[in-house]
Amino acid sequence: MRILLNTNILIDYLTEREPFFPAAYQIILGCKNKRYDGIVAAHSIVDMFFILRKYFTNAERRRMLLAFFEILTVETIDEEKLRLALKNEPFTDFEGCLQVECAKSTQADYIITRNEKDYALSEVPILSPEQFIEYLHDDDSEQG
């Protein structure tokens, strides 16, 4: 299974933001343990470097974000994805639309986000972190 992690999930994890941290931690741990393939859009790395300046030093941010390269696949933003997102006028959240384009190009099964309303027009199924964890739990129950 392949999942694209929206920026908010990664920030929840890095900042240990409550009440969201436990679910984000479980999801990142699953990526680290190769239970499923985690994907992050390249622009999320840029966004996080900027957003996390409120919490961490320059060196800390660089170290933390580099660590994601060990457990997540970073999907590039290229001209084609930008064009598709810009042409998709009904999808009013441009950043979310770029996330969807990255998910589609990597054949992600789900996008994991806390901003489900921003993805109403997504062609890739959306799950909240809690829904994803429940889905995994249900899948484990069926197999066991």
Side-chain angles (χ1 to χ4, degrees):
M1 178 185 335
R2 299 175 60 78
I3 59 170
L4 185 131
L5 301 174
N6 193 12
T7 310
N8 57 28
I9 307 304
L10 300 169
I11 291 173
D12 292 344
Y13 171 76
L14 291 172
T15 62
E16 299 184 18
R17 185 167 38 188
E18 291 296 340
F20 312 113
F21 174 72
Y25 174 80
Q26 284 185 40
I27 292 168
I28 297 297
L29 186 62
C31 293
K32 185 177 180 182
N33 293 334
K34 307 284 189 225
R35 185 169 183 194
Y36 37 81
D37 296 328
I39 304 158
V40 60
H43 68 279
S44 291
I45 301 294
V46 176
D47 292 346
M48 286 187 290
F49 190 82
F50 178 76
I51 293 166
L52 293 172
R53 77 190 186 294
K54 300 178 212 174
Y55 304 94
F56 304 105
T57 67
N58 187 3
E60 289 170 329
R61 288 179 285 154
R62 288 175 186 274
R63 187 178 63 252
M64 292 171 144
L65 295 175
L66 279 169
F68 279 143
F69 285 75
E70 301 300 318
I71 61 172
L72 302 173
T73 300
V74 178
E75 177 60 16
T76 61
I77 300 295
D78 58 16
E79 181 179 343
E80 181 65 14
K81 289 181 191 82
L82 288 167
R83 283 179 185 270
L84 289 168
L86 287 167
K87 288 179 181 178
N88 190 349
E89 291 181 33
F91 205 126
T92 57
D93 183 300
F94 181 68
E95 191 274 337
C97 195
L98 279 175
Q99 296 279 7
V100 172
E101 291 303 327
C102 287
K104 287 171 27 183
S105 72
T106 60
Q107 300 176 335
D109 297 292
Y110 300 100
I111 296 174
I112 311 302
T113 183
R114 285 192 292 102
N115 296 335
E116 297 170 75
K117 66 180 180 355
D118 292 343
Y119 292 86
L121 299 176
S122 176
E123 298 171 47
V124 179
I126 303 302
L127 292 175
S128 70
E130 294 77 17
Q131 288 171 324
F132 181 66
I133 291 166
E134 183 64 29
Y135 169 81
L136 292 175
H137 177 73
D138 290 348
D139 192 47
D140 286 346
S141 296
E142 289 176 12
Q143 292 180 16

